[in-house]
Amino acid sequence: MQIKWALPFALAAFMFSPAAFADDEKKVDEKETNPVMEALIEFSDPLPPAERRHANIIFSNYNVIKVVEQVEASASMATESCGEKNEDLKAPLENRFGEWQAAIHPIMEEAAASVNNMIAVQEYAKPKTINKLLGKIDDSRKGMDEESDRVPVTTPEACRYLLDKMDETQPALVKLLENTLISLPMSIQQEQAKATEEE
């Protein structure tokens, strides 16, 4: 099974980190096993293809939502810190971040409702089993956040970068969340087209 995590994680790293945050120098061993991924694969691999695909989409879409929440938390922290250190940027940043949130929250709520619906309608596992796996994703992300020393950079240049970046990240994140709403129908459509070609 292939669960597509790379895009959301790369997106989170790209959105605000380059100029708005300073990271510590802690390095992660790429060969280190990922217990969350192992648990998801162990759960999904025994399933028939259609159900495995459904589970894959649940996990991927849930991860996208959580990454967007993480980006929002980083942007909120940077906005607050920048406003404290740069009085002239406080109002523009707070106003723009409010607009940013207003654009993202409705589609994020819709995406979360879609994931919850996918969990409710499936019959291959008890909802609590899937929610337990999703909880492992949350625990893993929380652990990574605790290990990372992310301190907002509050120079005027970094704060203006943050302000400008919101114009780019708002439509990008909305699009990413919108894609979660069509991922299952699109997957089913592709599977039906493939079956038709093989007949």
Side-chain angles (χ1 to χ4, degrees), residues 173-197:
L173 290 175
V174 167
K175 181 68 174 175
L176 189 65
L177 289 165
E178 286 175 342
N179 285 343
T180 70
L181 301 175
I182 62 171
S183 55
L184 181 60
M186 185 179 297
S187 177
I188 292 171
Q189 187 177 25
Q190 290 171 346
E191 192 67 24
Q192 290 173 339
K194 182 180 177 182
T196 302
E197 289 176 2

PDB file of all heavy atoms in Angstrom, residues 173-197:
ATOM      1  N   LEU A 173      -3.774  26.134   0.091  1.00  0.00           N
ATOM      2  CA  LEU A 173      -4.349  25.273   1.119  1.00  0.00           C
ATOM      3  C   LEU A 173      -5.819  24.994   0.844  1.00  0.00           C
ATOM      4  O   LEU A 173      -6.296  23.879   1.085  1.00  0.00           O
ATOM      5  CB  LEU A 173      -4.170  25.910   2.502  1.00  0.00           C
ATOM      6  CG  LEU A 173      -2.728  25.946   3.022  1.00  0.00           C
ATOM      7  CD1 LEU A 173      -2.663  26.703   4.337  1.00  0.00           C
ATOM      8  CD2 LEU A 173      -2.166  24.550   3.192  1.00  0.00           C
ATOM      9  N   VAL A 174      -6.543  25.982   0.355  1.00  0.00           N
ATOM     10  CA  VAL A 174      -7.948  25.756  -0.007  1.00  0.00           C
ATOM     11  C   VAL A 174      -8.030  24.669  -1.082  1.00  0.00           C
ATOM     12  O   VAL A 174      -8.857  23.749  -0.997  1.00  0.00           O
ATOM     13  CB  VAL A 174      -8.609  27.061  -0.489  1.00  0.00           C
ATOM     14  CG1 VAL A 174      -9.952  26.771  -1.166  1.00  0.00           C
ATOM     15  CG2 VAL A 174      -8.814  28.021   0.682  1.00  0.00           C
ATOM     16  N   LYS A 175      -7.162  24.757  -2.072  1.00  0.00           N
ATOM     17  CA  LYS A 175      -7.145  23.758  -3.150  1.00  0.00           C
ATOM     18  C   LYS A 175      -6.803  22.372  -2.613  1.00  0.00           C
ATOM     19  O   LYS A 175      -7.414  21.371  -2.994  1.00  0.00           O
ATOM     20  CB  LYS A 175      -6.132  24.174  -4.224  1.00  0.00           C
ATOM     21  CG  LYS A 175      -6.048  23.233  -5.407  1.00  0.00           C
ATOM     22  CD  LYS A 175      -7.329  23.271  -6.220  1.00  0.00           C
ATOM     23  CE  LYS A 175      -7.213  22.448  -7.485  1.00  0.00           C
ATOM     24  NZ  LYS A 175      -8.489  22.383  -8.220  1.00  0.00           N
ATOM     25  N   LEU A 176      -5.830  22.322  -1.719  1.00  0.00           N
ATOM     26  CA  LEU A 176      -5.432  21.047  -1.128  1.00  0.00           C
ATOM     27  C   LEU A 176      -6.592  20.412  -0.373  1.00  0.00           C
ATOM     28  O   LEU A 176      -6.850  19.214  -0.495  1.00  0.00           O
ATOM     29  CB  LEU A 176      -4.241  21.272  -0.186  1.00  0.00           C
ATOM     30  CG  LEU A 176      -3.543  20.029   0.363  1.00  0.00           C
ATOM     31  CD1 LEU A 176      -2.880  19.250  -0.761  1.00  0.00           C
ATOM     32  CD2 LEU A 176      -2.519  20.426   1.413  1.00  0.00           C
ATOM     33  N   LEU A 177      -7.313  21.224   0.395  1.00  0.00           N
ATOM     34  CA  LEU A 177      -8.461  20.711   1.137  1.00  0.00           C
ATOM     35  C   LEU A 177      -9.602  20.323   0.203  1.00  0.00           C
ATOM     36  O   LEU A 177     -10.285  19.312   0.426  1.00  0.00           O
ATOM     37  CB  LEU A 177      -8.934  21.763   2.146  1.00  0.00           C
ATOM     38  CG  LEU A 177      -8.003  21.989   3.342  1.00  0.00           C
ATOM     39  CD1 LEU A 177      -8.376  23.279   4.069  1.00  0.00           C
ATOM     40  CD2 LEU A 177      -8.052  20.809   4.298  1.00  0.00           C
ATOM     41  N   GLU A 178      -9.818  21.104  -0.838  1.00  0.00           N
ATOM     42  CA  GLU A 178     -10.867  20.768  -1.811  1.00  0.00           C
ATOM     43  C   GLU A 178     -10.581  19.426  -2.463  1.00  0.00           C
ATOM     44  O   GLU A 178     -11.503  18.653  -2.759  1.00  0.00           O
ATOM     45  CB  GLU A 178     -10.976  21.858  -2.874  1.00  0.00           C
ATOM     46  CG  GLU A 178     -11.637  23.131  -2.379  1.00  0.00           C
ATOM     47  CD  GLU A 178     -11.632  24.250  -3.404  1.00  0.00           C
ATOM     48  OE1 GLU A 178     -10.842  24.177  -4.365  1.00  0.00           O
ATOM     49  OE2 GLU A 178     -12.420  25.204  -3.229  1.00  0.00           O
ATOM     50  N   ASN A 179      -9.311  19.125  -2.683  1.00  0.00           N
ATOM     51  CA  ASN A 179      -8.943  17.852  -3.298  1.00  0.00           C
ATOM     52  C   ASN A 179      -9.330  16.661  -2.435  1.00  0.00           C
ATOM     53  O   ASN A 179      -9.591  15.571  -2.942  1.00  0.00           O
ATOM     54  CB  ASN A 179      -7.442  17.816  -3.601  1.00  0.00           C
ATOM     55  CG  ASN A 179      -7.077  18.667  -4.797  1.00  0.00           C
ATOM     56  OD1 ASN A 179      -7.935  19.033  -5.599  1.00  0.00           O
ATOM     57  ND2 ASN A 179      -5.808  19.014  -4.911  1.00  0.00           N
ATOM     58  N   THR A 180      -9.371  16.855  -1.099  1.00  0.00           N
ATOM     59  CA  THR A 180      -9.788  15.749  -0.237  1.00  0.00           C
ATOM     60  C   THR A 180     -11.250  15.399  -0.466  1.00  0.00           C
ATOM     61  O   THR A 180     -11.659  14.259  -0.248  1.00  0.00           O
ATOM     62  CB  THR A 180      -9.574  16.072   1.260  1.00  0.00           C
ATOM     63  OG1 THR A 180     -10.509  17.071   1.683  1.00  0.00           O
ATOM     64  CG2 THR A 180      -8.150  16.521   1.538  1.00  0.00           C
ATOM     65  N   LEU A 181     -12.041  16.376  -0.904  1.00  0.00           N
ATOM     66  CA  LEU A 181     -13.467  16.146  -1.103  1.00  0.00           C
ATOM     67  C   LEU A 181     -13.757  15.359  -2.375  1.00  0.00           C
ATOM     68  O   LEU A 181     -14.825  14.745  -2.495  1.00  0.00           O
ATOM     69  CB  LEU A 181     -14.217  17.479  -1.137  1.00  0.00           C
ATOM     70  CG  LEU A 181     -14.094  18.345   0.121  1.00  0.00           C
ATOM     71  CD1 LEU A 181     -14.774  19.692  -0.102  1.00  0.00           C
ATOM     72  CD2 LEU A 181     -14.684  17.640   1.327  1.00  0.00           C
ATOM     73  N   ILE A 182     -12.835  15.391  -3.308  1.00  0.00           N
ATOM     74  CA  ILE A 182     -13.066  14.680  -4.575  1.00  0.00           C
ATOM     75  C   ILE A 182     -12.184  13.451  -4.722  1.00  0.00           C
ATOM     76  O   ILE A 182     -12.278  12.736  -5.706  1.00  0.00           O
ATOM     77  CB  ILE A 182     -12.835  15.617  -5.786  1.00  0.00           C
ATOM     78  CG1 ILE A 182     -11.380  16.104  -5.833  1.00  0.00           C
ATOM     79  CG2 ILE A 182     -13.794  16.785  -5.755  1.00  0.00           C
ATOM     80  CD1 ILE A 182     -11.033  16.843  -7.104  1.00  0.00           C
ATOM     81  N   SER A 183     -11.320  13.181  -3.732  1.00  0.00           N
ATOM     82  CA  SER A 183     -10.365  12.078  -3.875  1.00  0.00           C
ATOM     83  C   SER A 183     -11.056  10.721  -3.965  1.00  0.00           C
ATOM     84  O   SER A 183     -10.677   9.883  -4.786  1.00  0.00           O
ATOM     85  CB  SER A 183      -9.357  12.083  -2.716  1.00  0.00           C
ATOM     86  OG  SER A 183     -10.032  12.062  -1.475  1.00  0.00           O
ATOM     87  N   LEU A 184     -12.075  10.483  -3.143  1.00  0.00           N
ATOM     88  CA  LEU A 184     -12.753   9.184  -3.202  1.00  0.00           C
ATOM     89  C   LEU A 184     -13.562   9.031  -4.483  1.00  0.00           C
ATOM     90  O   LEU A 184     -13.408   8.028  -5.189  1.00  0.00           O
ATOM     91  CB  LEU A 184     -13.636   8.980  -1.970  1.00  0.00           C
ATOM     92  CG  LEU A 184     -14.366   7.633  -1.919  1.00  0.00           C
ATOM     93  CD1 LEU A 184     -13.368   6.478  -1.924  1.00  0.00           C
ATOM     94  CD2 LEU A 184     -15.267   7.553  -0.694  1.00  0.00           C
ATOM     95  N   PRO A 185     -14.441   9.985  -4.849  1.00  0.00           N
ATOM     96  CA  PRO A 185     -15.155   9.836  -6.127  1.00  0.00           C
ATOM     97  C   PRO A 185     -14.217   9.685  -7.320  1.00  0.00           C
ATOM     98  O   PRO A 185     -14.483   8.896  -8.235  1.00  0.00           O
ATOM     99  CB  PRO A 185     -15.960  11.141  -6.227  1.00  0.00           C
ATOM    100  CG  PRO A 185     -16.127  11.601  -4.819  1.00  0.00           C
ATOM    101  CD  PRO A 185     -14.865  11.185  -4.116  1.00  0.00           C
ATOM    102  N   MET A 186     -13.120  10.422  -7.300  1.00  0.00           N
ATOM    103  CA  MET A 186     -12.174  10.323  -8.413  1.00  0.00           C
ATOM    104  C   MET A 186     -11.534   8.942  -8.456  1.00  0.00           C
ATOM    105  O   MET A 186     -11.362   8.350  -9.524  1.00  0.00           O
ATOM    106  CB  MET A 186     -11.090  11.401  -8.265  1.00  0.00           C
ATOM    107  CG  MET A 186     -10.115  11.454  -9.431  1.00  0.00           C
ATOM    108  SD  MET A 186      -8.887  12.760  -9.230  1.00  0.00           S
ATOM    109  CE  MET A 186      -9.924  14.216  -9.227  1.00  0.00           C
ATOM    110  N   SER A 187     -11.194   8.405  -7.281  1.00  0.00           N
ATOM    111  CA  SER A 187     -10.583   7.082  -7.219  1.00  0.00           C
ATOM    112  C   SER A 187     -11.546   6.010  -7.727  1.00  0.00           C
ATOM    113  O   SER A 187     -11.157   5.105  -8.471  1.00  0.00           O
ATOM    114  CB  SER A 187     -10.166   6.776  -5.774  1.00  0.00           C
ATOM    115  OG  SER A 187      -9.634   5.487  -5.675  1.00  0.00           O
ATOM    116  N   ILE A 188     -12.811   6.122  -7.329  1.00  0.00           N
ATOM    117  CA  ILE A 188     -13.816   5.154  -7.787  1.00  0.00           C
ATOM    118  C   ILE A 188     -14.001   5.257  -9.299  1.00  0.00           C
ATOM    119  O   ILE A 188     -14.080   4.244 -10.001  1.00  0.00           O
ATOM    120  CB  ILE A 188     -15.159   5.404  -7.061  1.00  0.00           C
ATOM    121  CG1 ILE A 188     -15.018   5.066  -5.573  1.00  0.00           C
ATOM    122  CG2 ILE A 188     -16.275   4.586  -7.700  1.00  0.00           C
ATOM    123  CD1 ILE A 188     -16.207   5.471  -4.740  1.00  0.00           C
ATOM    124  N   GLN A 189     -14.028   6.477  -9.808  1.00  0.00           N
ATOM    125  CA  GLN A 189     -14.186   6.690 -11.248  1.00  0.00           C
ATOM    126  C   GLN A 189     -13.010   6.087 -12.015  1.00  0.00           C
ATOM    127  O   GLN A 189     -13.187   5.440 -13.052  1.00  0.00           O
ATOM    128  CB  GLN A 189     -14.292   8.184 -11.535  1.00  0.00           C
ATOM    129  CG  GLN A 189     -14.615   8.515 -12.972  1.00  0.00           C
ATOM    130  CD  GLN A 189     -14.781  10.008 -13.184  1.00  0.00           C
ATOM    131  OE1 GLN A 189     -14.227  10.817 -12.431  1.00  0.00           O
ATOM    132  NE2 GLN A 189     -15.526  10.391 -14.186  1.00  0.00           N
ATOM    133  N   GLN A 190     -11.799   6.278 -11.503  1.00  0.00           N
ATOM    134  CA  GLN A 190     -10.612   5.717 -12.154  1.00  0.00           C
ATOM    135  C   GLN A 190     -10.646   4.193 -12.138  1.00  0.00           C
ATOM    136  O   GLN A 190     -10.285   3.540 -13.117  1.00  0.00           O
ATOM    137  CB  GLN A 190      -9.347   6.226 -11.464  1.00  0.00           C
ATOM    138  CG  GLN A 190      -9.083   7.702 -11.705  1.00  0.00           C
ATOM    139  CD  GLN A 190      -7.950   8.237 -10.853  1.00  0.00           C
ATOM    140  OE1 GLN A 190      -7.512   7.612  -9.891  1.00  0.00           O
ATOM    141  NE2 GLN A 190      -7.482   9.432 -11.201  1.00  0.00           N
ATOM    142  N   GLU A 191     -11.097   3.627 -11.021  1.00  0.00           N
ATOM    143  CA  GLU A 191     -11.178   2.169 -10.911  1.00  0.00           C
ATOM    144  C   GLU A 191     -12.216   1.612 -11.882  1.00  0.00           C
ATOM    145  O   GLU A 191     -11.993   0.580 -12.524  1.00  0.00           O
ATOM    146  CB  GLU A 191     -11.533   1.784  -9.474  1.00  0.00           C
ATOM    147  CG  GLU A 191     -11.363   0.319  -9.164  1.00  0.00           C
ATOM    148  CD  GLU A 191      -9.917  -0.131  -9.193  1.00  0.00           C
ATOM    149  OE1 GLU A 191      -9.011   0.704  -9.011  1.00  0.00           O
ATOM    150  OE2 GLU A 191      -9.692  -1.344  -9.410  1.00  0.00           O
ATOM    151  N   GLN A 192     -13.330   2.297 -12.035  1.00  0.00           N
ATOM    152  CA  GLN A 192     -14.370   1.854 -12.973  1.00  0.00           C
ATOM    153  C   GLN A 192     -13.877   1.948 -14.416  1.00  0.00           C
ATOM    154  O   GLN A 192     -14.142   1.066 -15.230  1.00  0.00           O
ATOM    155  CB  GLN A 192     -15.636   2.690 -12.782  1.00  0.00           C
ATOM    156  CG  GLN A 192     -16.356   2.411 -11.474  1.00  0.00           C
ATOM    157  CD  GLN A 192     -17.507   3.356 -11.214  1.00  0.00           C
ATOM    158  OE1 GLN A 192     -17.571   4.456 -11.780  1.00  0.00           O
ATOM    159  NE2 GLN A 192     -18.426   2.970 -10.350  1.00  0.00           N
ATOM    160  N   ALA A 193     -13.154   3.019 -14.710  1.00  0.00           N
ATOM    161  CA  ALA A 193     -12.610   3.170 -16.075  1.00  0.00           C
ATOM    162  C   ALA A 193     -11.600   2.069 -16.369  1.00  0.00           C
ATOM    163  O   ALA A 193     -11.573   1.509 -17.475  1.00  0.00           O
ATOM    164  CB  ALA A 193     -11.944   4.540 -16.193  1.00  0.00           C
ATOM    165  N   LYS A 194     -10.794   1.735 -15.369  1.00  0.00           N
ATOM    166  CA  LYS A 194      -9.798   0.678 -15.552  1.00  0.00           C
ATOM    167  C   LYS A 194     -10.488  -0.662 -15.779  1.00  0.00           C
ATOM    168  O   LYS A 194     -10.082  -1.450 -16.631  1.00  0.00           O
ATOM    169  CB  LYS A 194      -8.904   0.609 -14.306  1.00  0.00           C
ATOM    170  CG  LYS A 194      -7.804  -0.422 -14.396  1.00  0.00           C
ATOM    171  CD  LYS A 194      -6.962  -0.419 -13.126  1.00  0.00           C
ATOM    172  CE  LYS A 194      -5.905  -1.502 -13.170  1.00  0.00           C
ATOM    173  NZ  LYS A 194      -5.106  -1.527 -11.906  1.00  0.00           N
ATOM    174  N   ALA A 195     -11.550  -0.932 -15.017  1.00  0.00           N
ATOM    175  CA  ALA A 195     -12.284  -2.187 -15.169  1.00  0.00           C
ATOM    176  C   ALA A 195     -12.925  -2.274 -16.545  1.00  0.00           C
ATOM    177  O   ALA A 195     -12.948  -3.346 -17.164  1.00  0.00           O
ATOM    178  CB  ALA A 195     -13.345  -2.297 -14.082  1.00  0.00           C
ATOM    179  N   THR A 196     -13.425  -1.152 -17.039  1.00  0.00           N
ATOM    180  CA  THR A 196     -14.038  -1.120 -18.365  1.00  0.00           C
ATOM    181  C   THR A 196     -13.014  -1.424 -19.449  1.00  0.00           C
ATOM    182  O   THR A 196     -13.292  -2.163 -20.404  1.00  0.00           O
ATOM    183  CB  THR A 196     -14.669   0.256 -18.628  1.00  0.00           C
ATOM    184  OG1 THR A 196     -15.645   0.522 -17.610  1.00  0.00           O
ATOM    185  CG2 THR A 196     -15.338   0.293 -19.984  1.00  0.00           C
ATOM    186  N   GLU A 197     -11.809  -0.885 -19.287  1.00  0.00           N
ATOM    187  CA  GLU A 197     -10.754  -1.114 -20.272  1.00  0.00           C
ATOM    188  C   GLU A 197     -10.324  -2.571 -20.307  1.00  0.00           C
ATOM    189  O   GLU A 197      -9.942  -3.101 -21.351  1.00  0.00           O
ATOM    190  CB  GLU A 197      -9.543  -0.244 -19.937  1.00  0.00           C
ATOM    191  CG  GLU A 197      -9.769   1.234 -20.192  1.00  0.00           C
ATOM    192  CD  GLU A 197      -8.589   2.072 -19.749  1.00  0.00           C
ATOM    193  OE1 GLU A 197      -7.588   1.486 -19.271  1.00  0.00           O
ATOM    194  OE2 GLU A 197      -8.663   3.306 -19.848  1.00  0.00           O
TER     195      GLU A 197
END
